[in-house]
Amino acid sequence: QVDPPDVEGRTAILKVHAKDKSLSPSVDLSAVARQTPGMSGADLANLLNEGAIVAARQNKNEIDQDDISNALERIMIGLEKKDGVMSEKKRKLVAYHEAGHAILGALMNDFDVVAKISIVPRGPAGGVTIFMPSEERLNSGLYSKEFLENRMCVALGGRLAEEIINGKDNVTTGASNDFQQCTQVATAMVTQLGMSDAVGQRVIGGNGQGSSGPFMGRDFMGQGAPPVSQALRQLVDGEVKRLVNEQYQRGMTLLKSNMYLLDELAKKLLEQEKVNGDELVKMINKAAAENKLVLPNKVMATAGFVGEVVDTKKTQCLHPDKPAMFACGDCPRRGGKMEEQTMAVAAFAGEEIALYTAGNVVAKKDQCVHPDKALMFACGDCPRRG
């Protein structure tokens, strides 16, 4: 079995399949490669073919970046329901639901990057928040306990936003798939991954489906897990409920503390239907600069784009160990160039925002300072800065 190509391999494959296609100069195949972790060569060829179809339907002579993005969403989620009619009340509900997912995902230390938020119905979904998995995490297959807890919290974000806006008695069935994902993660943590102190480091129920068959002899002959007692099942159920409830309370506190950001993102979604990751980052920067970005008992510091004024009265870096959340001036995510090789860096309380100019060795580079690394902008205590 051949492993899926890494980001460099995907970029090379895309270049091969793009030779016979008319691409717009604005198309960045390396950016497309970063958005397609886990895809094989055939998947990438199909992606460009779908992008060509999307462009042809709009009578375009070239395939641009939006065409490829729409093709990727079509493959991952389904076709847009352009003729679908949504009432203003439902649009508002979907906007807050997706905003809840996106904001919790963006504010988590160890989680995937928010790539796009949309309230345009696709396939069975009324809206979607797309996260870009970490290449390293995907290749290694290793997920930390913090990541799994964050995943549960983010999955609950849609229902939490609905409760905050409409109240508990007016929630909808839109979060059913989110609950399924959340329950699966919590159950795996307790029964398969040894992440519950009460249950301990052991596997319960084989692969989570109970024993291997109706005959106990199979279990004792090594063909399945030992039978599970009723008391142990109750303990597992209690631990699953505890894990889910903890993330529910954590997410509720986080969203209520960031109502300004929740309202702003929902408003923007209602206006333009789609918001990309860069736009969300700018909104987070703006909220932080106005001292409106908070976590429980914490106020956070953010890095700024070139030329932005950043408030330093914060206590903790916003996105430690998160890939490419704060892109430097030359980052492909922004498509811009560094002006006079100057960039802003997040600081802790008491520090001033440092602007690294051409006189500093960090800024002498022609490209992004930390491309595809864990910290695009190093915070005050980043090991990369010492």
Side-chain angles (χ1 to χ4, degrees):
Q1 183 177 354
V2 179
D3 292 332
D6 59 12
V7 64
E8 293 181 0
R10 292 196 301 274
T11 302
I13 292 170
L14 286 167
K15 288 179 180 178
V16 170
H17 292 296
K19 285 181 179 179
D20 60 344
K21 293 177 175 63
S22 180
L23 296 184
S24 168
S26 63
V27 173
D28 185 352
L29 293 179
S30 61
V32 176
R34 286 194 297 274
Q35 295 171 14
T36 53
M39 280 195 171
S40 66
D43 294 330
L44 295 171
N46 182 51
L47 173 62
L48 291 184
N49 289 336
E50 288 288 345
I53 293 172
V54 172
R57 284 176 175 168
Q58 301 177 45
N59 296 319
K60 294 181 180 179
N61 295 323
E62 294 179 326
I63 305 170
D64 59 29
Q65 197 80 24
D66 288 339
D67 295 330
I68 297 176
S69 296
N70 289 332
L72 181 60
E73 291 175 29
R74 177 181 177 179
I75 292 170
M76 293 173 60
I77 307 164
L79 285 170
E80 279 190 4
K81 297 178 181 178
K82 295 184 178 180
D83 297 330
V85 178
M86 290 174 59
S87 66
E88 194 61 29
K89 181 178 180 181
K90 185 177 179 181
R91 288 183 77 248
K92 180 181 177 181
L93 177 69
V94 174
Y96 273 97
H97 184 105
E98 299 305 330
H101 287 308
I103 289 171
L104 289 183
L107 297 182
M108 297 298 174
N109 286 344
D110 184 12
F111 200 67
D112 298 330
V113 177
V114 180
K116 189 174 186 179
I117 313 114
S118 171
I119 61 170
V120 178
R122 273 189 180 273
V128 63
T129 301
I130 300 174
F131 293 91
M132 190 178 348
S134 161
E135 190 80 23
E136 180 182 357
R137 186 182 292 122
L138 195 70
N139 290 337
S140 67
L142 299 176
Y143 299 87
S144 67
K145 182 179 180 181
E146 181 184 6
F147 175 86
L148 296 177
E149 289 174 342
N150 291 343
R151 188 173 181 181
M152 288 190 289
C153 189
V154 173
L156 293 169
R159 168 55 70 87
L160 292 170
E162 288 185 26
E163 288 188 13
I164 292 172
I165 300 304
N166 296 329
K168 273 194 171 184
D169 295 333
N170 295 309
V171 296
T172 68
T173 59
S176 58
N177 288 337
D178 301 331
F179 294 152
Q180 182 179 3
Q181 179 187 124
C182 187
T183 304
Q184 288 175 344
V185 172
T187 302
M189 290 176 67
V190 175
T191 63
Q192 306 296 318
L193 305 176
M195 294 182 178
S196 166
D197 292 336
V199 174
Q201 288 70 44
R202 51 179 170 166
V203 174
I204 297 174
N207 293 322
Q209 304 297 326
S211 59
S212 60
F215 303 106
M216 289 175 53
R218 291 183 181 176
D219 295 328
F220 295 114
M221 291 171 65
Q223 297 183 19
V228 179
S229 68
Q230 190 64 29
L232 184 53
R233 288 184 187 276
Q234 291 177 353
L235 179 62
V236 168
D237 288 342
E239 282 296 284
V240 170
K241 182 178 180 180
R242 178 186 64 81
L243 288 173
V244 174
N245 285 344
E246 284 180 357
Q247 298 312 312
Y248 175 91
Q249 296 299 333
R250 177 188 175 206
M252 180 66 78
T253 301
L254 189 56
L255 281 184
K256 283 185 174 179
S257 301
N258 289 280
M259 281 301 299
Y260 168 80
L261 191 56
L262 182 66
D263 291 334
E264 287 295 303
L265 180 54
K267 180 181 177 183
K268 193 155 192 170
L269 283 169
L270 289 171
E271 290 175 356
Q272 61 190 50
E273 293 190 331
K274 297 178 182 179
V275 175
N276 61 39
D278 290 339
E279 291 176 290
L280 178 58
V281 168
K282 289 180 180 179
M283 293 176 68
I284 293 174
N285 275 344
K286 182 174 179 288
E290 296 175 1
N291 205 22
K292 294 179 180 178
L293 186 71
V294 296
L295 280 178
N297 304 320
K298 296 177 184 178
V299 183
M300 310 182 74
T302 68
F305 292 127
V306 175
E308 285 187 335
V309 177
V310 183
D311 184 4
T312 62
K313 298 178 181 179
K314 312 290 186 290
T315 59
Q316 185 178 2
C317 178
L318 179 62
H319 288 107
D321 300 324
K322 192 161 188 179
M325 282 307 296
F326 289 101
C328 66
D330 195 44
C331 178
R333 289 178 181 273
R334 295 182 59 207
K337 298 294 181 182
M338 296 177 69
E339 298 176 5
E340 298 180 355
Q341 294 180 311
T342 302
M343 54 178 258
V345 185
F348 283 150
E351 291 185 9
E352 294 182 357
I353 291 296
L355 291 177
Y356 290 92
T357 62
N360 187 294
V361 65
V362 174
K364 286 182 179 179
K365 298 186 179 182
D366 296 327
Q367 298 178 345
C368 179
V369 177
H370 291 107
D372 298 322
K373 291 189 179 178
L375 280 173
M376 294 300 290
F377 273 95
C379 62
D381 71 342
C382 173
R384 295 183 186 278
R385 291 182 60 200

